[in-house]
Amino acid sequence: MILPIVAYGTPILRVVSKDITPDYPNLSKLIEDMWETMYSSNGVGLAAPQINRDIRLFVVDSTQIFTNLDEDEKDKYPDGPGIKQVFINAHITALDGEEWPYNEGCLSIPKIREDVVRPEGVTLEFVDENFQPQVATFNGISARVILHEYDHIEGKLFIDYLKPMKRKLLKGKLDDITRGKINVDYKMSFPR
């Protein structure tokens, strides 16, 4: 089932999410719905707060980015062919590597893209969809997508990394998104 994605200005996007247990109600259905929602909106990652759940859950499929790269771009990123993975109860244990800029967007903040500087690598402790404990290090584009989605479960958005002047310039567009004055080709819900 395709779920509505909550728009910028919805309070849940600013909440630090909670860890969950294996008996979380209908978890496998929720994960399935998140994949379906993400793909139907052309996303490469989706976090539970974006579908109005305050839990530490996100899905990432960076393979799509590599599929769409030009041949000469594929060597730029060390993590090809990317990953497709579920992250539950994720907690960062280390950030490493050089910081690098990349033009990011967000399904909850449609039609706004900005360069965000993040570290090259991230190490996380998490459990997978079968609640098997994992510790893994990711780099390149995959790390970028993971860090973006991880921010969602921490109540942070990519626009928080922008300089105050840039955020001021975007205020009108952000206000329009909050008011629902935006056309998107996927299901959204707006703050009341």
Side-chain angles (χ1 to χ4, degrees):
M1 182 172 67
I2 296 170
L3 306 167
I5 291 171
V6 300
Y8 174 78
T10 306
I12 198 158
L13 292 176
R14 294 305 191 174
V15 170
V16 176
S17 299
K18 300 184 282 281
D19 282 351
I20 59 170
T21 57
D23 59 359
Y24 186 84
N26 303 314
L27 182 60
S28 56
K29 173 75 171 118
L30 177 63
I31 291 169
E32 187 183 306
D33 291 347
M34 286 178 70
W35 285 121
E36 191 177 348
T37 301
M38 184 191 83
Y39 289 127
S40 76
S41 53
N42 293 315
V44 294
L46 185 68
Q50 292 181 276
I51 53 154
N52 214 18
R53 304 272 197 318
D54 65 343
I55 59 173
R56 294 186 85 81
L57 163 63
F58 59 89
V59 297
V60 168
D61 183 357
S62 62
T63 64
Q64 301 176 93
I65 297 171
F66 286 95
T67 303
N68 295 316
L69 281 178
D70 292 334
E71 278 309 310
D72 61 327
E73 289 181 302
K74 289 189 176 167
D75 296 339
K76 282 173 61 175
Y77 307 109
D79 58 309
I83 58 157
K84 180 180 175 183
Q85 200 159 349
V86 175
F87 295 84
I88 300 171
N89 299 343
H91 294 275
I92 291 176
T93 58
L95 294 168
D96 57 69
E98 296 290 313
E99 294 209 329
W100 62 292
Y102 188 83
N103 197 255
E104 291 188 25
C106 179
L107 296 173
S108 294
I109 311 173
K111 302 192 178 174
I112 293 179
R113 296 192 66 87
E114 292 294 335
D115 285 346
V116 175
V117 175
R118 296 187 190 270
E120 283 176 300
V122 59
T123 303
L124 297 164
E125 288 178 350
F126 62 99
V127 294
D128 63 20
E129 58 271 37
N130 302 311
F131 267 79
Q132 295 304 304
Q134 311 284 323
V135 177
T137 300
F138 302 91
N139 57 30
I141 292 277
S142 299
R144 164 81 47 177
V145 179
I146 288 166
L147 287 167
H148 178 106
E149 300 310 326
Y150 185 88
D151 277 351
H152 277 299
I153 64 172
E154 289 291 323
K156 263 183 107 167
L157 299 168
F158 84 95
I159 56 171
D160 297 347
Y161 293 92
L162 303 179
K163 290 187 169 38
M165 188 60 181
K166 178 58 98 170
R167 287 202 47 194
K168 201 172 190 170
L169 291 171
L170 290 173
K171 187 177 181 334
K173 286 182 180 178
L174 292 169
D175 289 347
D176 283 349
I177 292 168
T178 300
R179 290 190 201 103
K181 292 183 178 174
I182 187 144
N183 289 321
V184 291
D185 56 3
Y186 52 90
K187 211 158 53 164
M188 287 195 84
S189 70
F190 300 92
R192 305 257 176 256

